[in-house]
Amino acid sequence: MEELLFGNCSLADVDVSGSLRFVQDGLIHIQNGRIAFAGPRGERGDLPRRLELLDLGSRLVTPGLVDCHTHLIYAGDRLGDFLAERDPVALDQHRFQSGGILATVAATNSAPRESLVTLARRRLDQMADHGVTSVEIKSGYGLSLEGERRLLAIARELSGYRDIEVVTSFLGAHTVPAAFADAPSDYIAFLVEEVMPILAGEGLIDMVDCFIDPEGFSPAVIVPYLMRAKELGLPLRAHVDQFGAVGGGELATRFGARSIDHLEHLSQAAIVAARSAGTVAVLLPFASLHKRFPTNPPVTELRAQGVVMAVATDLNPGTSPTSSLLLAAYLAVTLYGLRPVEAFAGVTRHGAQALGLSDRGSLEHGSRADLVAWEVAHPYELVTSVFDQRPQRLGSSRRGTH
């Protein structure tokens, strides 16, 4: 039996009610990659005498961070899109091309596989260096059977790199590819009839995602896609109501979506439905900041209805070119008005909940020992400042599967 015993540390996580648990003189006992005990030192009277007590130097131990929404595998950049909105003169002078999601699709599909893997590992390095131990990676920059298969297969191979576990989301319904420009329903039919069954059968999909929005797919067009996900037994997620209100939140929760994400124009009816369905609201403040949205997600209403809120980076080249999850949490506090405990929960317990990962995100008995130790005195320091340090990783995350 592999065992580790850590002391001279404080501990922090969030319980199932959303309340902070903070222990200033803590002890952690790990057995075979799982938490056997994490709590006040004085409550563990039967310390295993055969184990050396590993001194953490008064660090704060928390669950590993969970980034529950990323588009991490891509090539190219979208500097042209950025300059088109902010500096058209520079755009013209330097001949940058703009083109939205389809520009990234073209760059990604033309990039060698080895290049995509190298770029993805570089981004995972940044995440691991800042406490992330689980990450969701979406496809959606392939928009064909082979393109989506390649991205999902790379994501599968990346799981375990830097001891980070990867969860995959099929995002074929990200946007309409050029070949189907005038026929979005035909594109959805292609995904439903050909792509989804094949990739699900190959074991490449953990969840199915889609974009229900004025800039994405209408509710009427996307319904067969949602139905197919349900038929295949795949949990559903959805980008909804980001650029405008189209009823995406209501539709996704009607299909039992595990999470709804973005939410800048989410309706009150969708908020009530999310509570009833147990759907997690995933907040992506970098995208709001990057796009300079005048409307924020309805945090006050979500809180009043008791809807669980997670926070993620939305790492992508177009609207959120960053891998810093703690900075996303900071922006959720400063831009959206999240309470510090909500932001901390959002990148730990509730981020895991958005991915259906009940075995991590907390310090509870039996949880995976995906733990990190920080040189801070209080957990709120992690989410209320522009925080940049490399925490110490404890234990091993490669225990069991999701």
Side-chain angles (χ1 to χ4, degrees):
M1 178 183 293
E2 181 186 12
E3 292 188 84
L4 295 168
L5 190 65
F6 295 99
N8 189 19
C9 59
S10 55
L11 313 175
D13 70 349
V14 176
D15 67 19
V16 69
S17 74
S19 299
L20 180 69
R21 294 188 293 204
F22 183 41
V23 176
Q24 291 186 295
D25 183 13
L27 189 76
I28 306 166
H29 182 200
I30 298 172
Q31 293 180 327
N32 290 335
R34 299 278 171 172
I35 297 174
F37 176 81
R41 181 183 178 91
E43 291 184 7
R44 185 70 180 214
D46 56 338
L47 291 178
R49 296 185 179 181
R50 65 188 179 282
L51 294 180
E52 176 187 1
L53 183 65
L54 302 175
D55 191 324
L56 289 178
S58 299
R59 290 182 177 89
L60 169 71
V61 177
T62 72
L65 307 185
V66 180
D67 195 338
C68 66
H69 182 130
T70 85
H71 305 254
L72 186 142
I73 305 172
Y74 62 87
D77 62 59
R78 299 260 282 280
L79 182 56
D81 292 348
F82 187 87
L83 293 175
E85 295 181 4
R86 294 166 174 83
D87 193 350
V89 173
L91 176 70
D92 184 60
Q93 287 175 341
H94 298 281
R95 301 180 183 274
F96 288 109
Q97 298 296 312
S98 57
I101 293 171
L102 290 180
T104 300
V105 172
T108 302
N109 281 333
S110 63
R113 191 181 196 281
E114 296 76 11
S115 176
L116 291 176
V117 171
T118 297
L119 291 168
R121 284 180 173 170
R122 189 176 303 161
R123 293 162 193 147
L124 286 173
D125 282 335
Q126 295 168 349
M127 291 180 168
D129 286 346
H130 293 88
V132 172
T133 59
S134 296
V135 63
E136 181 256 18
I137 298 178
K138 304 179 191 296
S139 63
Y141 291 137
L143 305 189
S144 67
L145 173 58
E146 288 306 318
E148 294 291 292
R149 174 188 275 141
R150 184 169 75 144
L151 295 178
L152 291 168
I154 291 172
R156 277 279 187 257
E157 290 181 17
L158 290 169
S159 195
Y161 176 73
R162 291 293 304 273
D163 230 7
I164 292 179
E165 181 166 349
V166 172
V167 177
T168 63
S169 289
F170 171 71
L171 183 57
H174 195 187
T175 193
V176 181
F180 292 87
D182 298 320
S185 294
D186 291 346
Y187 176 59
I188 293 298
F190 164 65
L191 295 177
V192 165
E193 295 166 12
E194 299 186 41
V195 180
M196 293 171 73
I198 291 173
L199 298 184
E202 293 173 355
L204 293 174
I205 305 175
D206 293 324
M207 296 177 292
V208 170
D209 203 339
C210 59
F211 188 22
I212 313 173
D213 189 87
E215 298 291 319
F217 294 87
S218 71
V221 168
I222 204 69
V223 164
Y225 184 90
L226 306 182
M227 293 177 65
R228 181 55 119 183
K230 190 171 183 179
E231 290 167 0
L232 292 169
L234 295 169
L236 178 69
R237 309 185 62 190
H239 299 54
V240 303
D241 304 323
Q242 179 186 11
F243 291 90
V246 296
E250 294 95 311
L251 179 62
T253 53
R254 192 182 314 146
F255 276 84
R258 182 171 281 168
S259 79
I260 49 176
D261 305 33
H262 284 295
L263 317 179
E264 280 81 356
H265 296 87
L266 193 69
S267 71
Q268 183 65 30
I271 296 171
V272 173
R275 180 191 63 182
S276 299
T279 301
V280 178
V282 179
L283 308 178
L284 307 168
F286 272 120
S288 293
L289 182 65
H290 195 86
K291 297 300 292 183
R292 298 180 291 183
F293 284 143
T295 303
N296 287 332
V299 165
T300 300
E301 292 80 2
L302 289 165
R303 180 187 296 131
Q305 289 293 333
V307 177
V308 168
M309 292 179 279
V311 179
T313 61
D314 191 25
L315 170 59
N316 75 81
T319 60
S320 187
T322 182
S323 61
S324 178
L325 184 55
L326 285 182
L327 187 51
Y330 165 78
L331 290 176
V333 173
T334 56
L335 291 182
Y336 290 172
L338 246 64
R339 295 165 181 159
V341 68
E342 293 171 328
F344 180 49
V347 296
T348 53
R349 176 184 283 274
H350 295 161
Q353 186 174 338
L355 300 180
L357 304 176
S358 60
D359 64 346
R360 70 202 72 178
S362 77
L363 302 181
E364 294 171 353
H365 175 80
S367 292
R368 286 169 37 134
D370 293 356
L371 308 176
V372 286
W374 313 84
E375 292 184 354
V376 299
H378 195 281
Y380 291 171
E381 292 181 56
L382 301 177
V383 298
T384 60
S385 62
V386 180
F387 186 79
D388 186 20
Q389 67 158 280
R390 295 189 177 189
Q392 177 183 348
R393 182 73 184 268
L394 308 181
S396 173
S397 71
R398 301 298 290 166
R399 296 290 183 270
T401 64
H402 58 267

